[in-house]
Amino acid sequence: MPKISSDDKNLTVLNLFSTDAPEKQEGLLGAMREIVDSAAYPGWMSSTVHAGVDKPGTANFIQWRSRADLEDRYDGEEFKHRTLPLFGELTTSIRLLQNEIGYSQSKSGDGVEISPARTDYTVIAVFGVEEKNQDDLVDALGPSMKFLSDVPGYVSHTILKGIAARGLEGSFVVSYSQWESKEAFDAYQAVPQAEKPAARLEAEKRTGSLLTSVDSNTYRVVHTRAAGE
């Protein structure tokens, strides 16, 4: 079972595919499972496939040893002439995001696990930000939101600092959060301004002043595999 840790210095890749129909999502998931199950790329460590819930699409949370290993994969003939064309037929957008882990927190204190054996409601949000404000946004979305540990239904959240991308222009930060259920997340989102704790109000104010765009979807984990399995 892949784990996320702020101590991890390997490369974290998040591939986000959007599509316009549930049947295309199923096609994407089938293609991704096939690729993950046959993966034997130098430097590849693990892949965890997510299915879109609120909107059709997929996410693949991938751990690589280094950027050099990933770029070798991108330069390969299979990726350029088979993988990308196949995904291009099924998607409306493809974003291949390279990141380092800026912050990670779990309510249990035992670290962040991602697995189809879990029932997490996963929320992935991509925030655009000016490069000069990227570190401040990582702090606003990460350490400044330690109060989440007291929120009912919260499981974990991880903040990824973008370092390179294909299919996305400019600097970015990604939030990957886990909740016990859709109901728990919706309840958190629906808290009236007057009832929000001061720490949340301050974090949201900071975040709003720093981001230039935001795009999000919700997911469930459907498949995973690590090197050597």
Side-chain angles (χ1 to χ4, degrees), residues 163-217:
I163 55 177
R166 296 188 181 199
L168 181 68
E169 297 295 328
S171 297
F172 61 94
V173 174
V174 180
S175 171
Y176 180 101
S177 64
Q178 297 171 312
W179 296 79
E180 290 179 1
S181 66
K182 172 178 171 58
E183 290 75 20
F185 178 70
D186 288 347
Y188 171 73
Q189 293 290 93
V191 173
Q193 286 290 107
E195 297 179 16
K196 293 178 180 178
R200 177 175 177 179
L201 290 171
E202 179 60 27
E204 290 181 349
K205 181 180 179 180
R206 283 185 66 197
T207 299
S209 71
L210 295 168
L211 63 86
T212 58
S213 65
V214 60
D215 181 57
S216 66
N217 196 8

Side-chain angles (χ1 to χ4, degrees), residues 14-33 48-61 87 90-97 122 124 126 176 215-223:
L14 190 62
N15 291 345
L16 300 174
F17 299 162
S18 61
T19 188
D20 54 8
E23 59 270 21
K24 290 184 179 179
Q25 175 174 297
E26 291 306 309
L28 279 170
L29 292 172
M32 293 171 74
R33 287 174 187 266
T48 304
V49 179
H50 301 56
V53 175
D54 286 349
K55 296 180 287 187
T58 63
N60 194 0
F61 191 103
F87 288 148
L90 296 169
T91 63
T92 53
S93 71
I94 298 176
R95 291 173 290 174
L96 311 180
L97 311 180
T122 301
I124 300 176
V126 181
Y176 180 101
D215 181 57
S216 66
N217 196 8
T218 57
Y219 302 86
R220 58 185 175 86
V221 177
V222 295
H223 189 61

Side-chain angles (χ1 to χ4, degrees), residues 100-173:
E100 60 185 31
I101 298 176
Y103 181 80
S104 188
Q105 169 185 293
S106 66
K107 189 169 189 173
S108 68
D110 296 329
V112 179
E113 299 177 341
I114 51 176
S115 166
R118 300 175 57 90
T119 59
D120 303 302
Y121 183 74
T122 301
V123 183
I124 300 176
V126 181
F127 299 90
V129 62
E130 293 185 22
E131 184 175 1
K132 65 181 181 180
N133 294 327
Q134 190 181 33
D135 288 336
D136 285 343
L137 185 57
V138 169
D139 183 75
L141 293 168
S144 294
M145 298 186 72
K146 289 181 179 179
F147 64 85
L148 282 171
S149 290
D150 297 323
V151 174
Y154 164 82
V155 177
S156 77
H157 77 289
T158 298
I159 305 304
L160 305 174
K161 178 181 177 180
I163 55 177
R166 296 188 181 199
L168 181 68
E169 297 295 328
S171 297
F172 61 94
V173 174

Side-chain angles (χ1 to χ4, degrees), residues 43-85:
W44 171 80
M45 300 171 65
S46 74
S47 292
T48 304
V49 179
H50 301 56
V53 175
D54 286 349
K55 296 180 287 187
T58 63
N60 194 0
F61 191 103
I62 314 170
Q63 296 169 316
W64 285 86
R65 182 176 57 196
S66 69
R67 289 188 68 187
D69 292 312
L70 175 64
E71 291 301 332
D72 285 344
R73 159 70 169 148
Y74 284 166
D75 289 338
E77 294 299 309
E78 178 194 8
F79 182 79
K80 290 188 290 187
H81 300 297
R82 181 179 180 275
T83 304
L84 277 184

